[in-house]
C-alpha cells in the first residue's frame, strides 16, 4: 500500500474529489491546512500573506493504483492549460501497516 498526500488549491477541492470519485476512488480524507511553497507567500501591497489556505487530500491505496490516481489529481487540480504557481504538490509514500480500528484487524 501507499499513502498519497495531495496539497491543492481549496477552490479545486470539489473538482478533484469529483474526478477521483468518477474514476472509482471514493475513499479520501480531506483536511483544510495553511502553508506556503516556493513563492514564500503572496505579497499584496505592503502585506505578505505567508499562510495560504490549501486543502490536503489523504488516500491510502494499493500501489497498483498510484499512476491513475496521480494523473486524475494532476489533471483536475491544474489551473488553466499550463498550470500556475500554487497549484500544489503530490507526495507518495509507502505504508508499512494498516489496522482497522473497529475490528482490530491488520490489513495487507
Amino acid at each position: 500500500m501507499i499513502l498519497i498526500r495531495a496539497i491543492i488549491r481549496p477552490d479545486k477541492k470539489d473538482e478533484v474529489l469529483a474526478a477521483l470519485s468518477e474514476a472509482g476512488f471514493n475513499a479520501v480524507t480531506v483536511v483544510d491546512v495553511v502553508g506556503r511553497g516556493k513563492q514564500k507567500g503572496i505579497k499584496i501591497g505592503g502585506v505578505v500573506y505567508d499562510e495560504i489556505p490549501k486543502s490536503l487530500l489523504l488516500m491510502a491505496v494499493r500501489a497498483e493504483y498510484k499512476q491513475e490516481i496521480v494523473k486524475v489529481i494532476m489533471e483536475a487540480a491544474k489551473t488553466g492549460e499550463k498550470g500556475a504557481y500554487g497549484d500544489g504538490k503530490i507526495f507518495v509514500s509507502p505504508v508499512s501497516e494498516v489496522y482497522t480500528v473497529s475490528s482490530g484487524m491488520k490489513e495487507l
Side-chain angles (χ1 to χ4, degrees), residues 45-102:
V47 180
V48 176
Y49 298 92
D50 62 354
E51 291 186 346
I52 301 167
K54 297 289 181 179
S55 292
L56 171 63
L57 310 182
L58 301 164
M59 301 178 71
V61 297
R62 291 184 180 162
E64 65 198 66
Y65 299 125
K66 177 181 73 171
Q67 293 298 341
E68 185 178 0
I69 292 171
V70 168
K71 181 180 178 198
V72 168
I73 295 170
M74 296 269 287
E75 290 175 355
K78 186 184 277 189
T79 302
E81 191 174 313
K82 294 185 178 183
Y85 284 116
D87 279 352
K89 295 278 187 197
I90 300 171
F91 302 92
V92 179
S93 307
V95 173
S96 60
E97 294 182 6
V98 177
Y99 294 88
T100 298
V101 174
S102 61

Side-chain angles (χ1 to χ4, degrees), residues 20 29 36 38-39 49 53 59 75-76 88 95:
L20 285 166
T29 299
R36 65 173 185 250
K38 288 187 238 179
Q39 74 272 25
Y49 298 92
M59 301 178 71
E75 290 175 355
V95 173

